[in-house]
Amino acid sequence: MAADGAPGAAGPAPTRHVGIGLRQPHCESLLAAPPALDFVEVHSENFLAAGGAALGVLEAARAHWPVSLHGVGLALGSAAGLDAAHLRRLAALARRIDPIRISDHASWARAPRRGGGPVLHGSDLLPLAFTPAALDILVANVQRVQEALARPILVENIAAYLHWSDDVIAEPGFFNELTRRSGCGLLLDLNNLVVNALNAGAGEAAAAAQACAWVDAIDAASVGEIHLAGYRDCGDIVIDDHGSRVHAPVWQVYRHALRRLGARPTLIEWDTEVPALEVLLGESARAGAETAAHAAAAAGVAEAAEAAEAAEAAEAAEAAGGAAAPDAVRCGPAASGRLRGRR
């Protein structure tokens, strides 16, 4: 059975919608008085050791909430391949924690030395070229990870500060092909979409519109999680620093994503200038409120559509049979009540 939020033929069926990143300054408070969180997310690489205090804290958190493992070190797009030792340690962590989801980024960081020798691993999320060759490499590496973990993973779109001159595949199409060929899902980072558009010269309104178009182009069934975060506008560049509240354009794109995709597990990322726990929980509550508002609006639309369909059916029956429509259909309040009773 797929983990909660994992993609499938019918799309995700999430029951746990909004979570926060579990960060060291908050651990003591969170564990002393555990709030009603849907899940917590951690960076996998901080817990790859076989023991120690950090792993003990993670196991304590796992007793209270589902845990999502979000990695930054697999370097899934590297032509030099994966680090086998890293992958073994990640698999061991997954067996120990039984995470609700496992994810990493569509990026590369591993390359051989020019003169040969050990492969070097750069500590960064370097952007991929959107080419058939890069796609082939990414698919093969993702499949190897999924075989080692015995489960599908999610792959995140990144904030990229440069692009390759030989890009030939639109980014959403690249991810659609990745998920189709490998069976993985997409971790949809909406903040990264907005940051990339801003760095391409768009204003905030245009950046939000471009991000919404990106969401429209993606295979909805592939999206297993959404990330929201803050960014820093430095004037000449916008940095995805996860160091502030979620900005207005990102909330706008999130509302659009809810309409397009439905509710998906959503994480508030806050990794630098970590605020008081109450601030982080407030951002999580806002995401929850956006999800609830979407659900209420969708229910209202569905009920209105159901009533309209019933009215059309009654009108067609009356026209065909020449008989008056039943009172339950002709009377608005009574019809509405009876329709609800049959749902």
Side-chain angles (χ1 to χ4, degrees), residues 212 216 252-263 294 297:
C212 288
D216 289 342
Q252 179 183 341
V253 180
Y254 185 53
R255 288 188 288 272
H256 179 82
L258 289 172
R259 292 190 294 270
R260 164 81 166 88
L261 308 171
H294 162 75

Side-chain angles (χ1 to χ4, degrees), residues 2 36 74 81 111 168 175 207 230 292-293 302 319:
L74 282 174
V168 293
F175 279 96

Side-chain angles (χ1 to χ4, degrees), residues 39 41 78 102 130 242 270 316:
F39 68 96
E41 190 159 285
S78 299
I102 301 177
F130 296 128
H242 302 176
W270 204 318

Side-chain angles (χ1 to χ4, degrees), residues 188-195 198 204-205 207-209 211-212 215 226-231 238 240 245-258 266-268 283 286 290:
L188 178 59
D189 192 309
L190 299 181
N191 190 61
N192 289 348
L193 297 182
V194 172
V195 166
L198 291 171
E204 286 193 338
C212 288
V215 172
I226 292 174
H227 276 186
L228 305 175
Y231 55 77
V238 179
D240 171 45
R245 294 180 186 271
V246 178
H247 289 240
V250 180
W251 285 121
Q252 179 183 341
V253 180
Y254 185 53
R255 288 188 288 272
H256 179 82
L258 289 172
T266 299
L267 179 81
I268 303 295
E283 290 291 275
R286 178 169 178 180
E290 295 284 1

